[in-house]
Amino acid sequence: MMNLNWLSLQLLALTLWAVVAQATLQDKLTVRAFSNPHFADVLNDNQLERLASTAHKESSWLDIKKGELLSPVLVPRQIGSPGYRATQDLIVTTLGQLGYAISWDNFTTPTPMGDVKMSNIIATKNPSAAKRLVLAAHYESKIVPGGDFIGATDSAVPVAMILDIAKGLAGLIDKQTDSDISLQMVFFDGEEAFEQWTSTDSIYGARHLAEFWEHNPDPATVAALSGATEHRPELERVELMVLMDLIGAPDNMFAALQIPTADIFTQLSKLEKRLQSAEYIDRLYMNTAMPPGAAGVEDDHLPFIERNIPVLHLISVPFPKVWHKLSDNAEALDATVIADMSLIM
């Protein structure tokens, strides 16, 4: 992802502008609303306690040194590398065993390094459902001169967190009788620039998938609705996308980067306050002091918001100190932050 598009010396002016402009911008935006923007109070205190207890028991999956979902992806994952292939296998195997329908969005695209084969991975729990709640992250790591870049926060931890959510909530999801909405996981390829971040040298996978889904259903949807004579484009099924990036560093903080999903961010902040008040998490991570839209980060969400999809973009603002450095490895991670963010999600 590209660095923040606002300068610290202009922060005060930009903050004031955001407050004034928010209502005007919101009026101009026609983004579909998420159908349940008040989820912070859905669980009562007893249910929240049981959820926290379950998450604590399953925290070993995200153990930095030997967690079955995190440790295997704390390796260099440059496109085509052994670590990249192993990460693909982990995603497909884990979600396939949980009953998710797996789709591959394979394509070849021109890059500054020539034509490169890439693959987005899509996992859908109930492809026949009318609506989708999408959790997304990119899974490849950047090519960095001078060594093998791992990208522990960028984005090994988000990938592992998505798998943890799917595995930890498997029992509850399987009992879900409402077939109207399904959980869908998207793992983007080619988020990182090969050279300099530009509109053409970045977010290759997200751009390809958004364009394909704008006009076509996902293959898993077609297979699940094999008797249908017509299929809606997959994007029409997406109620909300939650894009996670740069998570796991001790200095993580998050802000409402998208005005249309600011209410959802507020609900997430209320939820984490309940969790902290009950001492289930160590600290607060949602920065509600920053006005919605006061900062912007170019990332995999862009092709989707351009197509009217609501996106909650959870990326650390400011970026972790290890961003795009070889030191973004297992030693840069904070186990408490990972456990807290996993519970919040």
Side-chain angles (χ1 to χ4, degrees), residues 270-330:
K270 290 180 179 179
L271 175 61
E272 74 160 357
K273 287 177 181 177
R274 287 185 63 196
L275 291 168
Q276 190 201 36
S277 177
E279 300 184 347
Y280 298 141
I281 62 174
D282 188 63
R283 67 173 178 88
L284 299 178
Y285 298 86
M286 307 302 151
N287 180 7
T288 55
M290 181 182 292
V297 181
E298 295 186 5
D299 205 348
D300 284 318
H301 65 298
L302 290 181
F304 294 90
I305 62 172
E306 289 170 357
R307 290 168 170 83
N308 210 26
I309 300 301
V311 178
L312 178 64
H313 191 195
L314 289 180
I315 184 170
S316 185
V317 180
F319 290 177
K321 296 176 182 178
V322 295
W323 178 67
H324 283 185
K325 297 179 181 178
L326 294 178
S327 54
D328 188 4
N329 53 33

Side-chain angles (χ1 to χ4, degrees), residues 22 36 39 100 136 155 180 185 272 289 309 340:
Q22 180 177 348
N36 183 15
F39 58 81
Y100 284 75
S155 265
D180 187 51
M185 319 291 197
E272 74 160 357
I309 300 301
D340 286 354

Side-chain angles (χ1 to χ4, degrees), residues 134-138 158 162 184-188 241-244:
V134 178
L135 303 180
H138 75 92
I162 292 176
Q184 188 173 58
M185 319 291 197
V186 176
F187 302 89
F188 292 116
M241 174 180 286
V242 180
L243 177 65
M244 293 181 278

